[in-house]
Amino acid sequence: MNVTDAELTIVALSLKIAITATLFSLPFAILIAWVLARGAFAGKALLNIAVHLPLVLPPVVTGYALLLLFGKQGVIGSFLYDSFGITLAFRWSGAALAAAIMGFPLMVRAIRLGFEAVDRKLEDAAATLGASKVAVFWHVTLPLIMPAILAGTVLGFAKAMGEFGATITFVASIPGQTETLPSAIYTLLQVPGGENAALRLILLSIVISIAALAVSEVFARRAAKRVSGK
């Protein structure tokens, strides 16, 4: 399989966007998952709906909403541009933002299930021994939900790698800047004779996905052994 430099650029950019989106989303996903799993407050149902809305909305709608909010004329976009000179629309950073938003619900859902599965008696036991809430979370809760965090991370990364609708609406498909694997494959399939190049990118996507799953499985097993003490 002879991969061209242009195709390697597409793969590298896709990985850059997916990794950035995943790392950016993860701390917020853990926080929101904890709030939804443990919190009891007015508006919890609305927060849950807002978090999962990107899953049910057409991706193009999400992308257009991002364009309205984060475009140069948008409420947030104009502030970022005027104050800091930051532009997200039609930039790789905008693609990362779109991918992060689309993958966020999957991350939150997986991590929330982890929080809900934790035996609260273990946390209570640590608290009775004098551990603060932060110490209990860091030394007891977090290790116990590590497999769920890894699962959410993989889901978020996979969604970021495969995101198309919101990304192409918000940042288009500019070669070398915002052209990711899904958008490149779509473009090649519309061009006569582009099937071979599209097939190479498809195979590369499969290889990356399998590698991500394999790595997550290794870390999940290590986390499970650490929790069980074996």
Side-chain angles (χ1 to χ4, degrees):
M1 184 173 63
N2 296 321
V3 182
T4 66
D5 291 340
E7 291 164 356
L8 287 175
T9 299
I10 293 170
V11 172
L13 181 60
S14 297
L15 287 171
K16 178 182 179 181
I17 289 171
I19 292 172
T20 301
T22 304
L23 294 178
F24 176 78
S25 298
L26 186 56
F28 298 101
I30 294 173
L31 174 62
I32 296 299
W34 181 83
V35 169
L36 291 176
R38 301 290 179 84
F41 55 92
K44 180 177 177 179
L46 291 177
L47 175 62
N48 188 52
I49 291 173
V51 168
H52 291 88
L53 198 58
L55 285 180
V56 295
L57 282 176
V60 174
V61 174
T62 302
Y64 185 63
L66 288 174
L67 193 59
L68 291 178
L69 290 173
F70 291 94
K72 279 190 177 182
Q73 306 302 320
V75 177
I76 301 175
S78 60
F79 170 76
L80 291 175
Y81 182 74
D82 294 338
S83 302
F84 307 103
I86 297 174
T87 302
L88 294 176
F90 309 108
R91 299 289 192 275
W92 77 268
S93 52
L97 175 63
I101 289 175
M102 295 302 295
F104 190 72
L106 299 175
M107 299 178 73
V108 170
R109 189 169 184 81
I111 298 171
R112 179 182 179 179
L113 291 175
F115 276 118
E116 292 175 345
V118 170
D119 187 351
R120 300 291 292 272
K121 293 179 181 178
L122 297 175
E123 297 175 321
D124 294 339
T128 58
L129 294 175
S132 65
K133 291 183 178 180
V134 174
V136 170
F137 179 82
W138 188 260
H139 296 291
V140 178
T141 309
L142 202 60
L144 289 173
I145 67 166
M146 192 56 64
I149 291 176
L150 291 172
T153 301
V154 172
L155 287 173
F157 175 80
K159 181 62 177 177
M161 283 293 295
E163 168 51 33
F164 175 70
T167 302
I168 201 168
T169 305
F170 183 41
V171 299
S173 180
I174 306 171
Q177 297 185 45
T178 63
E179 187 180 38
T180 59
L181 278 167
S183 61
I185 291 170
Y186 176 81
T187 300
L188 288 169
L189 290 176
Q190 310 306 309
V191 178
E195 292 83 1
N196 290 334
L199 180 59
R200 287 196 296 271
L201 292 180
I202 290 170
L203 292 175
L204 287 171
S205 301
I206 294 173
V207 169
I208 293 170
S209 299
I210 292 174
L213 289 172
V215 170
S216 70
E217 183 66 21
V218 171
F219 281 110
R221 288 182 179 180
R222 290 182 179 178
K225 288 181 179 179
R226 185 174 62 181
V227 171
S228 62
K230 297 179 179 180

